[in-house]
Amino acid sequence: MFVAGISWTALHSHRPRRDVVVDLTPGISLALVRCALPMQMLSVSRCGTTVEIYWPSGEAGVYLRCRIELNSKDRDLLRHRRLAHQTANYQSSALAILAMMLLLAMCGWIVGGTEGMRRALQGTAPRPDGTVISRESMYRWFGARLLSHAQVPELFAILTRVCGRAGLARVPELYCLPAPSDMNAYALGGPERSAIVLTEGLLRGMTREEIAGILAHEVAHIRNNDTWTMSWATALRRAIDWTSLAGLALLRTRHNHGAMRVSQPLAALLSAAPTLGQLLGLALSRVRELDADATALELTGDSRALIAALDKLERHHTGSAPMAVPAFGHDPMRLLRSHPATSERVGTLLNLTF
């Protein structure tokens, strides 16, 4: 927050209402303004090279507006920051998969030496995405019904535009899940064949711009083939579970034959392997979610709508606004989540926007 010496008593005076403007730098200014914005955590808008952020002041209809004029140097900085963020996400994803493979190889080596390593890794090799997406299977799995272009032309127009920017050759099929009290969205498949499932509650509770942000997030998952990546991670995690169990049974047999000293450290590793594999899988999922948010920002260019959509989802699922904590707080509970905390996602989007 900027400290600009603004007098809040100006809002309560009997003189005609005026914006209280403070210029901080040639490119940044603060103002207390009155406007009919919905009360939420914050609101972000962008027009050309001008970005405006509105914070609720605590008085109905009064907001603190921060206006930022972006110059070419700022745009270059944001472009490099987004590229660095994307590169870091790819590296983190590769490290998570590599760590899971290494953990599985160690469990396999304990079970059967070099041959055990080969067999453990052999069954988890990535395969082409074989997700079956059809009207019948989607209804059987989720109870979702296929939407046609005639039913929701505006929704398909948004999706087609987002897919064009993402470079997808095929537009995903759209399904609606009849759940009026739920707000959620799912992406299935990869670039060759895919589907997006939206709940009825999400379609009713989101604005057009917010739905565009949600669709862009799901399209990002499809373009990045995250369904295939997470399926591979799930196969690795299951293989780790089974191989570590077999290793523990083998060590117990060796222990009964007097190999206790050798067995203890190996048994500790095998006992911890399933938990480590699960934590690595959750870390991979969080990285893919942050990358999908960043890609959605590139596809829509509308951070305001993305943040507003995340705010609504947080309020819907938890009944409260996102916690005002640093974007990358050291919360140990985040290790047990498949999705980053909403505050972390919002912080990342703001970091990539300003």
Side-chain angles (χ1 to χ4, degrees), residues 111-134:
V111 172
T114 305
E115 181 63 19
M117 292 175 55
R118 187 187 65 80
R119 290 186 178 183
L121 294 171
Q122 188 175 18
T124 60
R127 298 178 178 84
D129 182 31
T131 304
V132 179
I133 300 174
S134 66

Side-chain angles (χ1 to χ4, degrees), residues 64-318:
L64 175 62
R65 182 190 68 198
C66 176
R67 176 174 292 168
I68 305 172
E69 298 286 344
L70 298 178
N71 54 39
S72 59
K73 185 177 180 180
D74 295 327
R75 291 193 295 270
D76 290 340
L77 176 62
L78 288 177
R79 185 163 54 248
H80 288 302
R81 188 181 297 170
R82 292 178 182 182
L83 180 61
H85 178 77
Q86 184 183 50
T87 302
N89 283 340
Y90 288 157
Q91 291 176 345
S92 298
S93 299
L95 285 174
I97 290 289
L98 182 60
M100 295 179 77
M101 294 180 66
L102 179 60
L103 183 61
L104 177 58
M106 294 175 66
C107 293
W109 177 82
I110 294 173
V111 172
T114 305
E115 181 63 19
M117 292 175 55
R118 187 187 65 80
R119 290 186 178 183
L121 294 171
Q122 188 175 18
T124 60
R127 298 178 178 84
D129 182 31
T131 304
V132 179
I133 300 174
S134 66
R135 181 180 302 185
E136 295 75 17
S137 62
M138 295 295 288
Y139 184 76
R140 184 171 63 254
W141 293 344
F142 304 102
R145 299 186 180 278
L146 181 66
L147 296 175
S148 65
H149 187 280
Q151 291 175 302
V152 282
E154 286 192 4
L155 201 59
F156 273 91
I158 295 172
L159 181 60
T160 302
R161 183 167 60 252
V162 170
C163 290
R165 293 176 180 175
L168 289 182
R170 297 186 60 174
V171 176
E173 296 176 342
L174 273 181
Y175 288 83
C176 179
L177 184 63
S181 60
D182 188 24
M183 295 180 69
N184 223 323
Y186 313 91
L188 299 172
E192 299 302 321
R193 182 71 189 275
S194 58
I196 295 176
V197 183
L198 303 173
T199 63
E200 185 178 342
L202 185 140
L203 292 173
R204 290 182 176 181
M206 296 281 184
T207 66
R208 178 180 177 180
E209 291 76 15
E210 291 163 358
I211 291 176
I214 296 288
L215 288 175
H217 178 93
E218 302 305 327
V219 166
H221 280 309
I222 293 170
R223 190 186 73 174
N224 297 336
N225 219 355
D226 286 336
T227 299
W228 175 81
T229 301
M230 295 311 301
S231 297
W232 184 16
T234 300
L236 285 170
R237 185 174 55 81
R238 289 174 179 171
I240 290 171
D241 292 347
W242 283 105
T243 308
S244 62
L245 184 62
L248 286 172
L250 179 62
L251 288 183
R252 180 171 297 180
T253 302
R254 292 177 181 176
H255 172 70
N256 293 335
H257 288 82
M260 181 175 178
R261 291 185 178 179
V262 178
S263 300
Q264 284 182 342
L266 297 181
L269 173 62
L270 291 173
S271 298
T275 300
L276 293 175
Q278 185 174 12
L279 291 176
L280 287 169
L282 291 173
L284 177 63
S285 177
R286 292 193 300 272
V287 170
R288 301 320 305 150
E289 288 298 325
L290 289 175
D291 193 64
D293 284 344
T295 303
L297 179 61
E298 292 289 342
L299 296 178
T300 64
D302 191 352
S303 60
R304 178 200 60 80
L306 285 170
I307 291 172
L310 290 173
D311 181 70
K312 284 186 178 180
L313 290 173
E314 178 74 11
R315 293 174 186 270
H316 173 78
H317 290 295
T318 67

Side-chain angles (χ1 to χ4, degrees), residues 18-32:
R18 293 183 178 179
D19 292 354
V20 181
V21 181
V22 177
D23 290 325
L24 300 178
T25 72
I28 302 176
S29 64
L30 293 178
L32 289 174

